[in-house]
Amino acid sequence: MPIAVCCDNVAMPKHWKTKLIHSDVRVPEGYRSLTTPTYRGSTVLFPDAAAVTDAWDQYEAGYTYGLYGSPTTLELAERICELEEGHRTIITPGGQCAISMINLALLKSGDHTLVPESIYGPNRKFANDVLRRFGAQVTYYQPTIGGDIARLIQPNTRLIWCESPGSITMEIQDIPAIAEAAHKAGALVVMDNTWSAGVYFDAFAHGVDVTMQALTKYVGGHSDLLLGSITVKDASLYRALGAVQQLLGCAASPDDCSLALRGMKTLAVRLEAIGSSALAVARWLADRPEVELVLHPALETCPGHELWQRDFSGATGVFAFVMQKDVPKDRVMKFVNSLKLFKIGYSWGGVTSLAVAYNFSYYKNRPSYQHRIVRLNIGLEAMDDLLADLQQAFQASAG
Ligand SMILES: Cc1ncc(COP(=O)(O)O)c(C=O)c1O
């Protein structure tokens, strides 16, 4: 193939400053690689003056503006959608952004939403601080309520949020029963499906209308990006969400999308390794004298374990355990501080094991685990080394 590198068909002479902006170089065509190119850009070029439009739906209008997605962003969106088997996916700059966009797109003043007590903390804070300020009503429900949620549905209930397992306390929800009650009353079911990475729980087959994930966690997989996804089951929900993304201006970075596309390629092997280590660590903890309860969905001690067996096809690497009732707070803190391989920090789903101690003493309507609950994120370290680390931390915190 000829390599035409410079100055073909130069129509008009140019100052070097103009050449910096309007170059005539051409590079060979036909490069084929295994990687999706990273298309960055705010401006998108139109073929002529009449073609200019600010339409956000790039599937209908073609590319119009970087905010609505470049080919890199849309490839990630389509690939998440393919895995979740939804209608369309929108990529957002983080999981929390996906949560707020869903609320702002699907609720209005006077509407009512039901939110599980076990929802991710900032999701709850958004409901309390923003939704209520804008005149929406919020009621919290016990995550294990199942079909009894029908009792809490009001004529103005528009959205029922679910997250399964719940954040930190890990309750598995009866999503089909909740969806049946919701749909009978004309309400939508939205699920935070981050824990299952969108693959171990088939949300749309279980009656969910809208899912979101923090791609920051397992899809990214290396603790080096923030992204979210919203997947919808039909075109009218896509229109509602797409229009709000445009107006909120929530653009995801194509560079982060490129990293997420790379992360997707190893998602299966990472989840398999992380999931089997996490289960082994959970079983080991269940036998420790210092531990009262292990909250891992694959163990019978986890609330809703039988629903996990019925509805999920696997378990990932985040779970919690509760120390015995006589373990004081400073000993829990000393245990976490004594860990060497497990690091202390938020945002799970990466390759590094993490530990965070939580204090539930001040939460009404949450299980009475007080200061005794520790959440672990299992990474890709050798499992025996993780067990040795936990063992030495129990010993160090005993004295
Ligand atoms: C269950 C769950 N949903 C949503 C989020 C928010 O994701 P992000 O950190 O990408 O905003 C998190 C983050 O910790 C999470 O744990």
Side-chain angles (χ1 to χ4, degrees), residues 333 336-339 341-346 353-357:
M333 293 309 195
V336 172
N337 288 333
S338 304
L339 290 164
L341 295 178
F342 284 84
K343 303 298 175 197
I344 303 169
Y346 286 135
S353 292
L354 303 173
V356 176

Side-chain angles (χ1 to χ4, degrees), residues 94-97 99 120 163 167 192 194 212 214 216-217 226-227 347-348 375:
Q96 178 62 18
C97 179
I99 290 167
Y120 171 60
E163 183 183 325
S167 274
D192 185 331
T194 304
M212 55 80 33
T216 309
K217 316 295 185 219
L226 283 142
L227 279 179
S347 213
W348 37 277
R375 182 169 75 175

Side-chain angles (χ1 to χ4, degrees), residues 249-269:
C250 296
S253 153
D255 288 282
D256 287 344
C257 292
S258 154
L259 288 175
L261 283 165
R262 183 167 69 174
M264 278 183 91
K265 294 180 187 177
T266 56
L267 181 64
V269 283

